[in-house]
């Protein structure tokens, strides 16, 4: 019996190994026929766009394409998306892309990846009038678990290139460096590349972003954002000269003097203030599809400097709220457009629902780091309003997508606050009438006797 049991275990192990070999062989049947890789470094972000033509050289079809865990970029991966040749977005789960390729067939698709913290200031400290230089480090080859027959890598730079790694064949320009074409590149191949160039574009990072959306069924929804903003580029060395800056503001090349925030087109009652009070150095204009707010801090942001401010506005509830009977859905953007090519390190989204809301659920096109519940007590509340708290880190503009919070609210809860207001004023008038009829004046005994005799 012992031998039979051992023999059975051995048979199962052999079967598992055989299946694994078959799966590996099937996966290895994919070959990257051609890859055109573009690394855009024209802002503080690093956007890598890889156009891949993959061929299934096996005898059976495959249903997925595996992305390499090695990104080929020294930075933090914030967003990944894959689209087919027609521009339709493909499903990405972890490192697997849902892509069907028949035996002997080829398909072309585009991989887009956005990285933060991928350009390091070098030197790390500059004076007020110096330009800002940065360094990018990564892999000159397209990182892939499959072999690649032909590929090229192109770097698009913000400004003049100072130096770069020379991996033949290559071609350098003032704002562009091209590597390749390279032939017969093995799977997981790596060749270090370093590009040093001038980049005076705004290096702004939102270190803390708290966005509160307060829903009202009787008035306008209010949205308020508390933002801590830091200049994450090369730090300022020496003293800041206000005189030199006022003489020629453009000479402070790396300083951030103003930035533009884009709001919902129906936004009204916009306010912008910091710890001191209202900031009047801002401009607002309404456009067809957005409200543009040009924000100017009280002082220019030099490297390492930070500012903290609050931006708020109101929206008609109908712009973000829909309902079917007692079931409601609030749909709006997860984060606003704070500035161009934005980076948000830590975001907390707080959705304050009406008091009495139940059956709360959240839907979003991406996962959160944390989802919590809280309670907020405001005017005319009894037990407080339920609050949905969503947390996520390392966000970019691609996270400016709509999310939905669904909840149920009985009709009795909907009219609770109006009834409380009516009851309050009714009680106020009643007390006023009663007090008006009470005579609290003080009379002497003589007056009382005289009044009685009369």
């Amino acid at each position: 019996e012992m031998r039979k049991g051992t023999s059975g275990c051995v048979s199962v192990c052999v079967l598992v190994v055989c299946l694994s070999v078959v799966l590996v062989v099937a996966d290895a049947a994919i070959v990257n026929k051609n890859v055109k890789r573009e690394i855009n470094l024209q802002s503080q972000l690093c956007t890598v766009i890889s156009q891949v033509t993959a061929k299934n050289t096996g005898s059976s079809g495959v249903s997925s394409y595996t992305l390499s865990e090695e990104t080929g970029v020294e930075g933090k991966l914030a967003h990944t998306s894959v689209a087919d040749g027609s521009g339709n977005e493909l499903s990405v789960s972890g490192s697997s892309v849902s892509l069907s390729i028949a035996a002997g067939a080829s398909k072309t698709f585009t991989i887009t990846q956005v990285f933060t913290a991928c350009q390091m200031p070098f030197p790390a400290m500059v004076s007020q009038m110096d330009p800002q230089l940065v360094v990018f480090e990564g892999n000159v080859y397209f990182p892939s678990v499959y072999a690649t027959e032909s590929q090229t890598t192109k770097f698009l730079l913000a400004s003049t290139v100072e130096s770069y790694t020379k991996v033949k064949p290559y071609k350098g320009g003032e704002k562009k460096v091209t590597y390749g074409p390279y032939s017969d590149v093995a799977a997981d191949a790596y060749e270090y590349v370093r590009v040093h160039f001038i980049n005076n574009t705004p290096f702004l990072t939102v270190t803390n972003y708290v966005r509160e959306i307060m829903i009202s069924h009787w008035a306008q929804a209010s949205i308020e954002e508390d933002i801590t903003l830091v200049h994450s580029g090369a730090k300022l060395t020496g003293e800041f000269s206000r005189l030199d800056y006022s003489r020629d503001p453009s000479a402070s090349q790396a300083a951030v003097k103003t930035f533009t925030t884009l709001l919902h087109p129906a936004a009204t009652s916009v306010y912008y203030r910091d710890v001191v009070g209202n900031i009047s150095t801002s401009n607002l204009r309404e456009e067809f599809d957005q409200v543009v707010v040009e924000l100017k801090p009280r002082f220019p942001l030099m490297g390492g400097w930070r500012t903290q401010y609050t931006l708020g506005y109101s929206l008609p509830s109908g712009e973000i709220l829909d309902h079917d009977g007692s079931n409601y859905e609030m749909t709006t953007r997860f984060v606003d457009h704070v500035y161009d090519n934005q980076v948000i390190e830590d975001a907390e989204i707080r959705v304050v629902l009406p008091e009495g809301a139940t059956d709360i659920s959240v839907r979003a096109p991406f996962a959160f780091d944390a989802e919590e519940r809280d309670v907020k007590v405001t005017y005319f509340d009894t037990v407080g309003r339920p609050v949905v708290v969503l947390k996520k880190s390392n966000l970019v503009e691609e996270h400016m997508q709509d999310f939905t919070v669904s909840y149920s609210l009985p009709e009795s809860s909907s009219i609770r606050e109006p009834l409380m207001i009516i009851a309050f004023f009714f009680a106020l008038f009643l007390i006023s009438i009663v007090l008006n009829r009470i005579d609290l004046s003080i009379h002497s005994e003589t007056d009382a006797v005289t009044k009685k005799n009369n």
Side-chain angles (χ1 to χ4, degrees):
E1 291 181 0
M2 289 287 290
R3 290 180 178 177
K4 288 181 179 179
T6 305
S7 176
C9 291
V10 171
S11 299
V12 172
C13 291
V14 170
L15 180 60
V16 171
V17 171
C18 291
L19 287 174
S20 301
V21 171
V22 170
L23 290 174
V24 171
V25 170
D27 201 37
I30 296 179
V31 174
N32 298 321
K33 296 291 291 183
N34 187 43
V35 176
K36 294 180 180 178
R37 187 166 171 244
E38 181 181 279
I39 302 178
N40 191 319
L41 303 173
Q42 295 176 327
S43 68
Q44 66 170 332
L45 299 171
C46 172
T47 304
V48 182
I49 301 175
S50 303
Q51 188 182 71
V52 182
T53 300
K55 182 177 181 179
N56 181 5
T57 60
S59 56
S60 60
V62 296
S63 60
S64 64
Y65 181 93
T66 303
L67 300 177
S68 175
E69 293 184 1
E70 173 58 50
T71 60
V73 173
E74 296 296 330
K76 299 178 182 177
L77 179 60
H79 175 77
T80 299
S81 63
V82 182
D84 62 18
S86 302
N88 301 314
E89 191 164 334
L90 303 176
S91 175
V92 180
S93 178
S95 60
S96 179
V97 180
S98 179
L99 180 68
S100 298
I101 308 178
S106 299
K107 279 195 175 179
T108 299
F109 54 95
T110 302
I111 305 170
T112 302
Q113 295 176 308
V114 181
F115 296 83
T116 62
C118 54
Q119 301 180 46
M120 297 297 106
F122 187 78
M125 303 184 72
V126 296
S127 65
Q128 182 175 334
M129 300 301 178
D130 289 341
Q132 178 175 263
L133 285 88
V134 296
V135 165
F136 169 86
E137 297 177 321
N139 187 0
V140 74
Y141 296 131
F142 170 64
S144 178
V145 298
Y146 311 109
T148 303
E149 293 186 358
S150 177
Q151 70 166 283
T152 57
T153 297
K154 182 191 298 183
F155 287 89
L156 301 180
L157 310 178
S159 189
T160 308
V161 62
E162 295 288 312
S163 64
Y164 56 90
T165 307
K166 297 173 173 58
V167 182
K168 296 181 179 180
Y170 64 88
K171 181 180 180 181
E174 184 180 2
K175 296 183 180 181
K176 182 171 66 176
V177 180
T178 304
Y179 292 95
Y182 300 110
S183 302
D184 300 325
V185 179
D188 298 319
Y190 184 87
E191 184 69 38
Y192 172 80
V193 66
R194 179 181 185 271
V195 184
H196 189 205
F197 59 101
I198 297 175
N199 190 347
N200 287 319
T201 59
F203 271 56
L204 290 176
T205 300
V206 177
T207 57
N208 191 42
Y209 177 90
V210 180
R211 173 174 165 91
E212 184 177 86
I213 305 166
M214 183 171 288
I215 304 300
S216 173
H217 289 193
W218 296 96
Q220 292 187 321
S222 62
I223 299 177
E224 185 173 270
E225 299 172 344
D226 290 322
I227 297 173
T228 302
L229 195 65
V230 62
H231 189 313
S232 52
K235 294 183 178 180
L236 176 67
T237 180
E239 295 183 354
F240 173 74
S241 172
R242 174 65 73 173
L243 178 61
D244 292 341
Y245 178 79
S246 59
R247 284 176 176 173
D248 186 8
S250 62
S252 301
Q253 302 177 52
V256 178
K257 307 153 185 86
T258 183
F259 53 93
T260 302
T261 293
L262 306 179
L263 305 179
H264 192 285
T268 58
S269 305
V270 181
Y271 57 88
Y272 168 47
R273 61 172 183 261
D274 60 9
V275 292
V276 178
N278 184 59
I279 304 175
S280 59
T281 54
S282 60
N283 295 312
L284 184 146
R285 68 177 185 272
E286 296 181 0
E287 297 183 354
F288 175 73
D289 58 345
Q290 60 191 5
V291 172
V292 181
V293 186
E294 296 177 356
L295 302 179
K296 185 177 181 181
R298 295 183 185 274
F299 49 85
L301 292 178
M302 308 298 294
W305 292 13
R306 68 178 60 233
T307 184
Q308 185 176 0
Y309 66 92
T310 299
L311 179 70
Y313 58 95
S314 299
L315 283 177
S317 295
E319 292 288 335
I320 60 175
L321 194 63
D322 196 10
H323 75 99
D324 181 13
S326 60
N327 298 318
Y328 293 83
E329 284 191 348
M330 188 283 309
T331 302
T332 189
R333 288 195 298 200
F334 189 74
V335 293
D336 261 340
H337 179 283
V338 183
Y339 54 88
D340 293 337
N341 302 307
Q342 66 188 24
V343 176
I344 301 176
E345 284 188 352
D346 294 297
E348 179 179 310
I349 313 303
R350 301 176 59 86
V351 182
V352 184
L353 302 176
E355 189 177 30
T358 58
D359 301 328
I360 302 170
S361 62
V362 182
R363 300 193 310 273
F366 45 79
F368 309 118
D369 296 339
E371 180 178 340
E372 302 170 358
R373 295 289 186 268
D374 197 1
V375 176
K376 180 172 183 175
V377 180
T378 58
Y379 302 107
F380 297 107
D381 288 340
T382 53
V383 296
R385 304 186 182 197
V387 181
V388 179
V389 182
L390 306 172
K391 297 180 180 180
K392 189 170 178 61
S393 58
N394 200 27
L395 289 90
V396 290
E397 287 186 4
E398 282 72 13
H399 292 101
M400 289 168 45
Q401 302 183 47
D402 287 346
F403 76 108
T404 300
V405 176
S406 304
Y407 61 94
S408 298
L409 188 70
E411 191 172 337
S412 58
S413 297
S414 300
I415 62 174
R416 180 186 299 171
E417 286 192 8
L419 289 177
M420 289 181 66
I421 295 174
I422 293 172
F424 171 77
F425 282 105
F426 178 78
L428 188 65
F429 290 139
L430 185 62
I431 293 172
S432 176
I433 292 172
V434 171
L435 292 177
N436 219 15
R437 290 181 175 274
I438 296 177
D439 187 4
L440 299 178
S441 58
I442 300 175
H443 302 280
S444 65
E445 291 184 2
T446 306
D447 294 338
V449 170
T450 305
K451 186 176 181 181
K452 184 177 181 181
N453 292 333
N454 293 335

